[in-house]
PDB file of all heavy atoms in Angstrom:
ATOM      1  N   ALA A  88      54.165 225.616 -40.612  1.00 98.00           N
ATOM      2  CA  ALA A  88      54.902 224.455 -40.204  1.00 98.00           C
ATOM      3  C   ALA A  88      53.861 223.492 -39.630  1.00 98.00           C
ATOM      4  O   ALA A  88      52.629 223.820 -39.606  1.00 98.00           O
ATOM      5  CB  ALA A  88      55.939 224.753 -39.177  1.00 98.00           C
ATOM      6  N   SER A  89      54.322 222.336 -39.170  1.00 98.00           N
ATOM      7  CA  SER A  89      53.353 221.351 -38.605  1.00 98.00           C
ATOM      8  C   SER A  89      54.169 220.350 -37.798  1.00 98.00           C
ATOM      9  O   SER A  89      55.362 220.161 -38.057  1.00 98.00           O
ATOM     10  CB  SER A  89      52.539 220.666 -39.692  1.00 98.00           C
ATOM     11  OG  SER A  89      53.464 219.992 -40.579  1.00 98.00           O
ATOM     12  N   PRO A  90      53.479 219.732 -36.819  1.00 98.00           N
ATOM     13  CA  PRO A  90      54.243 218.793 -35.992  1.00 98.00           C
ATOM     14  C   PRO A  90      54.958 217.709 -36.795  1.00 98.00           C
ATOM     15  O   PRO A  90      56.203 217.440 -36.474  1.00 98.00           O
ATOM     16  CB  PRO A  90      53.165 218.182 -35.089  1.00 98.00           C
ATOM     17  CG  PRO A  90      52.172 219.315 -34.937  1.00 98.00           C
ATOM     18  CD  PRO A  90      52.162 219.971 -36.309  1.00 98.00           C
ATOM     19  N   PRO A  91      54.429 217.039 -37.817  1.00 98.00           N
ATOM     20  CA  PRO A  91      55.214 216.041 -38.529  1.00 98.00           C
ATOM     21  C   PRO A  91      56.407 216.639 -39.214  1.00 98.00           C
ATOM     22  O   PRO A  91      57.514 215.949 -39.272  1.00 98.00           O
ATOM     23  CB  PRO A  91      54.220 215.444 -39.545  1.00 98.00           C
ATOM     24  CG  PRO A  91      53.006 216.295 -39.566  1.00 98.00           C
ATOM     25  CD  PRO A  91      53.009 217.068 -38.245  1.00 98.00           C
ATOM     26  N   ALA A  92      56.341 217.840 -39.699  1.00 98.00           N
ATOM     27  CA  ALA A  92      57.460 218.476 -40.355  1.00 98.00           C
ATOM     28  C   ALA A  92      58.616 218.720 -39.288  1.00 98.00           C
ATOM     29  O   ALA A  92      59.793 218.555 -39.588  1.00 98.00           O
ATOM     30  CB  ALA A  92      57.071 219.763 -40.983  1.00 98.00           C
ATOM     31  N   ILE A  93      58.184 219.220 -38.133  1.00 98.00           N
ATOM     32  CA  ILE A  93      59.195 219.492 -37.116  1.00 98.00           C
ATOM     33  C   ILE A  93      59.883 218.280 -36.622  1.00 98.00           C
ATOM     34  O   ILE A  93      61.133 218.179 -36.504  1.00 98.00           O
ATOM     35  CB  ILE A  93      58.506 220.302 -35.949  1.00 98.00           C
ATOM     36  CG1 ILE A  93      57.939 221.599 -36.398  1.00 98.00           C
ATOM     37  CG2 ILE A  93      59.470 220.462 -34.782  1.00 98.00           C
ATOM     38  CD1 ILE A  93      56.929 222.224 -35.445  1.00 98.00           C
ATOM     39  N   LEU A  94      59.128 217.217 -36.496  1.00 98.00           N
ATOM     40  CA  LEU A  94      59.702 215.932 -36.053  1.00 98.00           C
ATOM     41  C   LEU A  94      60.631 215.362 -37.120  1.00 98.00           C
ATOM     42  O   LEU A  94      61.697 214.761 -36.840  1.00 98.00           O
ATOM     43  CB  LEU A  94      58.588 214.962 -35.638  1.00 98.00           C
ATOM     44  CG  LEU A  94      57.797 215.384 -34.368  1.00 98.00           C
ATOM     45  CD1 LEU A  94      56.696 214.385 -34.105  1.00 98.00           C
ATOM     46  CD2 LEU A  94      58.734 215.464 -33.090  1.00 98.00           C
ATOM     47  N   ALA A  95      60.179 215.491 -38.380  1.00 98.00           N
ATOM     48  CA  ALA A  95      61.070 215.041 -39.470  1.00 98.00           C
ATOM     49  C   ALA A  95      62.399 215.781 -39.506  1.00 98.00           C
ATOM     50  O   ALA A  95      63.434 215.203 -39.800  1.00 98.00           O
ATOM     51  CB  ALA A  95      60.392 215.204 -40.825  1.00 98.00           C
ATOM     52  N   GLU A  96      62.321 217.111 -39.128  1.00 98.00           N
ATOM     53  CA  GLU A  96      63.540 217.877 -39.131  1.00 98.00           C
ATOM     54  C   GLU A  96      64.516 217.382 -38.078  1.00 98.00           C
ATOM     55  O   GLU A  96      65.723 217.271 -38.354  1.00 98.00           O
ATOM     56  CB  GLU A  96      63.114 219.340 -38.851  1.00 98.00           C
ATOM     57  CG  GLU A  96      64.139 220.429 -39.149  1.00 98.00           C
ATOM     58  CD  GLU A  96      64.257 220.709 -40.617  1.00 98.00           C
ATOM     59  OE1 GLU A  96      64.795 219.875 -41.340  1.00 98.00           O
ATOM     60  OE2 GLU A  96      63.851 221.775 -41.010  1.00 98.00           O
ATOM     61  N   LEU A  97      63.892 216.957 -36.982  1.00 98.00           N
ATOM     62  CA  LEU A  97      64.740 216.374 -35.874  1.00 98.00           C
ATOM     63  C   LEU A  97      65.363 215.011 -36.335  1.00 98.00           C
ATOM     64  O   LEU A  97      66.564 214.813 -36.128  1.00 98.00           O
ATOM     65  CB  LEU A  97      63.890 216.199 -34.655  1.00 98.00           C
ATOM     66  CG  LEU A  97      64.501 215.570 -33.405  1.00 98.00           C
ATOM     67  CD1 LEU A  97      65.629 216.462 -32.909  1.00 98.00           C
ATOM     68  CD2 LEU A  97      63.450 215.395 -32.276  1.00 98.00           C
ATOM     69  N   ALA A  98      64.509 214.216 -36.925  1.00 98.00           N
ATOM     70  CA  ALA A  98      64.998 212.875 -37.373  1.00 98.00           C
ATOM     71  C   ALA A  98      66.119 213.101 -38.465  1.00 98.00           C
ATOM     72  O   ALA A  98      67.134 212.419 -38.476  1.00 98.00           O
ATOM     73  CB  ALA A  98      63.870 212.076 -37.982  1.00 98.00           C
ATOM     74  N   MET A 299      52.697 223.647 -44.920  1.00 98.00           N
ATOM     75  CA  MET A 299      52.925 223.132 -43.551  1.00 98.00           C
ATOM     76  C   MET A 299      54.233 222.363 -43.419  1.00 98.00           C
ATOM     77  O   MET A 299      54.478 221.603 -42.480  1.00 98.00           O
ATOM     78  CB  MET A 299      51.719 222.229 -43.105  1.00 98.00           C
ATOM     79  CG  MET A 299      50.502 223.009 -43.060  1.00 98.00           C
ATOM     80  SD  MET A 299      49.070 222.094 -42.498  1.00 98.00           S
ATOM     81  CE  MET A 299      48.676 221.082 -43.924  1.00 98.00           C
ATOM     82  N   VAL A 300      55.182 222.625 -44.335  1.00 98.00           N
ATOM     83  CA  VAL A 300      56.530 222.097 -44.214  1.00 98.00           C
ATOM     84  C   VAL A 300      57.467 223.296 -43.784  1.00 98.00           C
ATOM     85  O   VAL A 300      57.512 224.241 -44.568  1.00 98.00           O
ATOM     86  CB  VAL A 300      57.028 221.589 -45.607  1.00 98.00           C
ATOM     87  CG1 VAL A 300      58.440 221.024 -45.475  1.00 98.00           C
ATOM     88  CG2 VAL A 300      56.083 220.502 -46.122  1.00 98.00           C
ATOM     89  N   ASN A 301      57.973 223.194 -42.658  1.00 98.00           N
ATOM     90  CA  ASN A 301      58.711 224.333 -42.137  1.00 98.00           C
ATOM     91  C   ASN A 301      59.915 224.726 -43.027  1.00 98.00           C
ATOM     92  O   ASN A 301      60.439 223.868 -43.720  1.00 98.00           O
ATOM     93  CB  ASN A 301      59.238 224.144 -40.738  1.00 98.00           C
ATOM     94  CG  ASN A 301      60.168 222.928 -40.649  1.00 98.00           C
ATOM     95  OD1 ASN A 301      59.779 221.805 -40.912  1.00 98.00           O
ATOM     96  ND2 ASN A 301      61.445 223.218 -40.396  1.00 98.00           N
ATOM     97  N   LEU A 353      62.511 214.431 -46.242  1.00 98.00           N
ATOM     98  CA  LEU A 353      61.874 213.684 -45.142  1.00 98.00           C
ATOM     99  C   LEU A 353      60.668 214.431 -44.638  1.00 98.00           C
ATOM    100  O   LEU A 353      59.593 213.866 -44.338  1.00 98.00           O
ATOM    101  CB  LEU A 353      62.839 213.369 -44.041  1.00 98.00           C
ATOM    102  CG  LEU A 353      62.365 212.395 -43.012  1.00 98.00           C
ATOM    103  CD1 LEU A 353      62.276 210.991 -43.564  1.00 98.00           C
ATOM    104  CD2 LEU A 353      63.322 212.359 -41.733  1.00 98.00           C
ATOM    105  N   LYS A 354      60.776 215.762 -44.417  1.00 98.00           N
ATOM    106  CA  LYS A 354      59.669 216.513 -43.809  1.00 98.00           C
ATOM    107  C   LYS A 354      58.513 216.674 -44.802  1.00 98.00           C
ATOM    108  O   LYS A 354      57.329 216.637 -44.411  1.00 98.00           O
ATOM    109  CB  LYS A 354      60.145 217.855 -43.295  1.00 98.00           C
ATOM    110  CG  LYS A 354      60.831 218.732 -44.199  1.00 98.00           C
ATOM    111  CD  LYS A 354      61.401 220.005 -43.482  1.00 98.00           C
ATOM    112  CE  LYS A 354      62.230 220.842 -44.392  1.00 98.00           C
ATOM    113  NZ  LYS A 354      62.785 222.017 -43.717  1.00 98.00           N
ATOM    114  N   LEU A 355      58.811 216.738 -46.041  1.00 98.00           N
ATOM    115  CA  LEU A 355      57.775 216.858 -47.117  1.00 98.00           C
ATOM    116  C   LEU A 355      57.049 215.473 -47.075  1.00 98.00           C
ATOM    117  O   LEU A 355      55.823 215.457 -47.151  1.00 98.00           O
ATOM    118  CB  LEU A 355      58.426 217.114 -48.429  1.00 98.00           C
ATOM    119  CG  LEU A 355      57.579 217.506 -49.646  1.00 98.00           C
ATOM    120  CD1 LEU A 355      56.594 218.627 -49.276  1.00 98.00           C
ATOM    121  CD2 LEU A 355      58.449 217.968 -50.778  1.00 98.00           C
ATOM    122  N   TRP A 356      57.798 214.416 -47.032  1.00 98.00           N
ATOM    123  CA  TRP A 356      57.220 213.100 -47.034  1.00 98.00           C
ATOM    124  C   TRP A 356      56.304 212.849 -45.863  1.00 98.00           C
ATOM    125  O   TRP A 356      55.140 212.431 -46.004  1.00 98.00           O
ATOM    126  CB  TRP A 356      58.386 212.081 -47.038  1.00 98.00           C
ATOM    127  CG  TRP A 356      58.035 210.676 -47.370  1.00 98.00           C
ATOM    128  CD1 TRP A 356      57.158 210.240 -48.342  1.00 98.00           C
ATOM    129  CD2 TRP A 356      58.680 209.468 -46.846  1.00 98.00           C
ATOM    130  NE1 TRP A 356      57.176 208.851 -48.344  1.00 98.00           N
ATOM    131  CE2 TRP A 356      58.119 208.392 -47.493  1.00 98.00           C
ATOM    132  CE3 TRP A 356      59.702 209.259 -45.941  1.00 98.00           C
ATOM    133  CZ2 TRP A 356      58.476 207.032 -47.221  1.00 98.00           C
ATOM    134  CZ3 TRP A 356      60.101 207.954 -45.642  1.00 98.00           C
ATOM    135  CH2 TRP A 356      59.531 206.884 -46.309  1.00 98.00           C
ATOM    136  N   TRP A 357      56.792 213.283 -44.708  1.00 98.00           N
ATOM    137  CA  TRP A 357      56.023 213.071 -43.399  1.00 98.00           C
ATOM    138  C   TRP A 357      54.785 213.898 -43.447  1.00 98.00           C
ATOM    139  O   TRP A 357      53.717 213.472 -42.927  1.00 98.00           O
ATOM    140  CB  TRP A 357      56.912 213.344 -42.202  1.00 98.00           C
ATOM    141  CG  TRP A 357      57.816 212.197 -41.879  1.00 98.00           C
ATOM    142  CD1 TRP A 357      58.186 211.194 -42.711  1.00 98.00           C
ATOM    143  CD2 TRP A 357      58.486 212.014 -40.620  1.00 98.00           C
ATOM    144  NE1 TRP A 357      59.097 210.337 -42.078  1.00 98.00           N
ATOM    145  CE2 TRP A 357      59.255 210.768 -40.824  1.00 98.00           C
ATOM    146  CE3 TRP A 357      58.497 212.605 -39.404  1.00 98.00           C
ATOM    147  CZ2 TRP A 357      60.050 210.299 -39.732  1.00 98.00           C
ATOM    148  CZ3 TRP A 357      59.262 212.096 -38.363  1.00 98.00           C
ATOM    149  CH2 TRP A 357      60.077 210.954 -38.560  1.00 98.00           C
ATOM    150  N   VAL A 358      54.878 215.122 -43.979  1.00 98.00           N
ATOM    151  CA  VAL A 358      53.666 215.991 -43.974  1.00 98.00           C
ATOM    152  C   VAL A 358      52.615 215.415 -44.927  1.00 98.00           C
ATOM    153  O   VAL A 358      51.416 215.257 -44.595  1.00 98.00           O
ATOM    154  CB  VAL A 358      54.028 217.421 -44.379  1.00 98.00           C
ATOM    155  CG1 VAL A 358      52.723 218.275 -44.702  1.00 98.00           C
ATOM    156  CG2 VAL A 358      54.802 218.129 -43.266  1.00 98.00           C
ATOM    157  N   LEU A 359      53.094 214.973 -46.135  1.00 98.00           N
ATOM    158  CA  LEU A 359      52.139 214.402 -47.107  1.00 98.00           C
ATOM    159  C   LEU A 359      51.462 213.163 -46.573  1.00 98.00           C
ATOM    160  O   LEU A 359      50.281 212.902 -46.758  1.00 98.00           O
ATOM    161  CB  LEU A 359      52.802 214.131 -48.434  1.00 98.00           C
ATOM    162  CG  LEU A 359      53.173 215.385 -49.237  1.00 98.00           C
ATOM    163  CD1 LEU A 359      54.153 215.049 -50.403  1.00 98.00           C
ATOM    164  CD2 LEU A 359      51.884 216.019 -49.871  1.00 98.00           C
ATOM    165  N   ARG A 360      52.212 212.342 -45.825  1.00 98.00           N
ATOM    166  CA  ARG A 360      51.618 211.108 -45.269  1.00 98.00           C
ATOM    167  C   ARG A 360      50.787 211.367 -44.044  1.00 98.00           C
ATOM    168  O   ARG A 360      49.791 210.768 -43.818  1.00 98.00           O
ATOM    169  CB  ARG A 360      52.768 210.135 -44.964  1.00 98.00           C
ATOM    170  CG  ARG A 360      53.516 209.655 -46.190  1.00 98.00           C
ATOM    171  CD  ARG A 360      54.612 208.797 -45.911  1.00 98.00           C
ATOM    172  NE  ARG A 360      54.232 207.495 -45.268  1.00 98.00           N
ATOM    173  CZ  ARG A 360      55.137 206.610 -44.797  1.00 98.00           C
ATOM    174  NH1 ARG A 360      56.374 206.902 -44.736  1.00 98.00           N
ATOM    175  NH2 ARG A 360      54.673 205.466 -44.315  1.00 98.00           N
ATOM    176  N   SER A 361      51.219 212.321 -43.223  1.00 98.00           N
ATOM    177  CA  SER A 361      50.473 212.622 -41.971  1.00 98.00           C
ATOM    178  C   SER A 361      49.082 213.256 -42.239  1.00 98.00           C
ATOM    179  O   SER A 361      48.119 212.918 -41.583  1.00 98.00           O
ATOM    180  CB  SER A 361      51.211 213.511 -41.014  1.00 98.00           C
ATOM    181  OG  SER A 361      52.360 212.871 -40.519  1.00 98.00           O
ATOM    182  N   TYR A 362      49.075 214.153 -43.220  1.00 98.00           N
ATOM    183  CA  TYR A 362      47.810 214.826 -43.505  1.00 98.00           C
ATOM    184  C   TYR A 362      47.057 214.105 -44.568  1.00 98.00           C
ATOM    185  O   TYR A 362      45.822 214.215 -44.600  1.00 98.00           O
ATOM    186  CB  TYR A 362      48.109 216.295 -43.932  1.00 98.00           C
ATOM    187  CG  TYR A 362      48.378 217.201 -42.780  1.00 98.00           C
ATOM    188  CD1 TYR A 362      49.735 217.379 -42.376  1.00 98.00           C
ATOM    189  CD2 TYR A 362      47.410 217.889 -42.120  1.00 98.00           C
ATOM    190  CE1 TYR A 362      50.046 218.184 -41.285  1.00 98.00           C
ATOM    191  CE2 TYR A 362      47.716 218.763 -41.067  1.00 98.00           C
ATOM    192  CZ  TYR A 362      49.019 218.883 -40.637  1.00 98.00           C
ATOM    193  OH  TYR A 362      49.329 219.731 -39.572  1.00 98.00           O
TER     194      TYR A 362
END
Side-chain angles (χ1 to χ4, degrees):
S89 60
I93 296 165
L94 294 175
E96 198 75 289
L97 180 61
M299 297 181 287
V300 180
N301 61 295
L353 192 68
K354 55 188 175 179
L355 192 49
W356 195 34
W357 282 19
V358 168
L359 287 167
R360 294 176 67 190
S361 292
Y362 285 87

